[in-house]
Amino acid sequence: QSALTQPASVSGSPGQSITISCTGTSSDVGGYNYVSWYQQHPGKAPKLMIYDVSNRPSGVSNRFSGSKSGNTASLTISGLQTEDEADYYCSSYTRSSTRVFGGGTKLTVL
Amino acid sequence: QVQLVESGGGVVQPGRSLRLSCAASTFTFSNYPMHWVRQAPGKGLEWVAIISNDGSTKYYADSVKGRFTISRDNSKSSLYLQMSSLRPEDTAVYYCARDIGSNTFDYWGQGTLVTVSS
């Protein structure tokens, strides 16, 4: 049950686009289309942003999108806004029916 | 609006036990699998356990297997986490979360802090 691998930090300027990667194995990310992404602001509970690789829940901006290729999933945020500054976590279903999170990525909007 | 409210956190000595609760409201609790997820101070999210909607199936992270037990009481719309043989590394904010499909945590509680320290 090793954590999925995410970059520790990414940054971008307002209006730009950034992509956060999430790398696992064929036993988790690569084996199932059950990757989700969460946004967490300091001191707050996580918020669901993307589920089943690329689906957006109602109420989440269409600036957020998800994709997957092989064992790596990605979250793209376009038209960066200052309120997007937060920690982002990916999560995947695993072959053993457990779940696993990534280590998290701190997004800084410069 | 879906509500999940955790309780039961606090300071506990290493080796002791603690029981967390999560009270659910404004949705049909018995229809959904539920999870516990924790976050150590300044660290990332760590999945802890899942229980099926009827309580018949449970899975645990290796880090807590054999020490933690997840359970639920659908008649009370409540989720529980019985933690035993606690270690300092179990110190974290513990969140309960609703699962709407395979790996989708759509609602989270506000969390309850567990501190394991002598």
Side-chain angles (χ1 to χ4, degrees):
Chain A
Q1 289 183 352
S2 298
L4 306 175
T5 300
Q6 297 182 232
S9 63
V10 298
S11 62
S13 300
Q16 288 186 332
S17 294
I18 62 95
T19 297
I20 299 172
S21 62
C22 170
T23 302
T25 69
S26 58
S27 296
D28 38 63
V29 174
Y32 308 91
N33 288 324
Y34 298 139
V35 175
S36 51
W37 289 89
Y38 302 86
Q39 177 191 65
Q40 187 181 35
H41 286 109
K44 301 293 188 182
K47 175 187 176 184
L48 175 66
M49 305 303 286
I50 295 288
Y51 67 97
D52 292 352
V53 174
S54 60
N55 293 313
R56 225 176 14 256
S58 172
V60 171
S61 171
N62 59 10
R63 299 184 298 104
F64 291 83
S65 62
S67 63
K68 191 185 85 166
S69 177
N71 296 338
T72 298
S74 298
L75 173 71
T76 298
I77 309 174
S78 59
L80 270 179
Q81 300 180 359
T82 55
E83 58 262 38
D84 298 333
E85 186 162 293
D87 294 326
Y88 291 84
Y89 296 90
C90 61
S91 177
S92 177
Y93 180 86
T94 80
R95 182 174 58 188
S96 52
S97 299
T98 60
R99 307 326 190 240
V100 61
F101 282 95
T105 298
K106 180 177 180 61
L107 169 61
T108 301
V109 181
L110 303 169
Chain B
Q1 178 73 323
V2 167
Q3 274 210 312
L4 297 170
V5 179
E6 300 93 339
S7 61
V11 180
V12 61
Q13 292 180 327
R16 305 296 291 264
S17 299
L18 199 64
R19 188 199 199 203
L20 305 183
S21 299
C22 170
S25 57
T26 67
F27 68 100
T28 306
F29 182 71
S30 58
N31 285 353
Y32 297 88
M34 296 292 296
H35 298 264
W36 286 100
V37 177
R38 68 184 181 182
Q39 186 169 35
K43 301 298 184 181
L45 300 174
E46 181 187 12
W47 178 81
V48 172
I50 180 177
I51 186 168
S52 60
N53 63 311
D54 64 358
S56 63
T57 303
K58 307 170 186 181
Y59 295 99
Y60 299 90
D62 287 344
S63 58
V64 307
K65 197 177 299 182
R67 300 187 300 121
F68 289 12
T69 301
I70 189 172
S71 63
R72 64 191 297 161
D73 185 338
N74 286 343
S75 69
K76 296 182 178 179
S77 294
S78 292
L79 175 72
Y80 306 102
L81 186 67
Q82 179 68 45
M83 305 184 294
S84 60
S85 302
L86 282 162
R87 305 166 180 167
E89 55 264 36
D90 295 319
T91 294
V93 173
Y94 285 74
Y95 296 100
C96 62
R98 188 178 82 164
D99 190 333
I100 58 168
S102 294
N103 187 47
T104 304
F105 308 78
D106 69 332
Y107 282 97
W108 299 63
Q110 85 290 349
T112 188
L113 176 62
V114 173
T115 302
V116 184
S117 174
S118 54

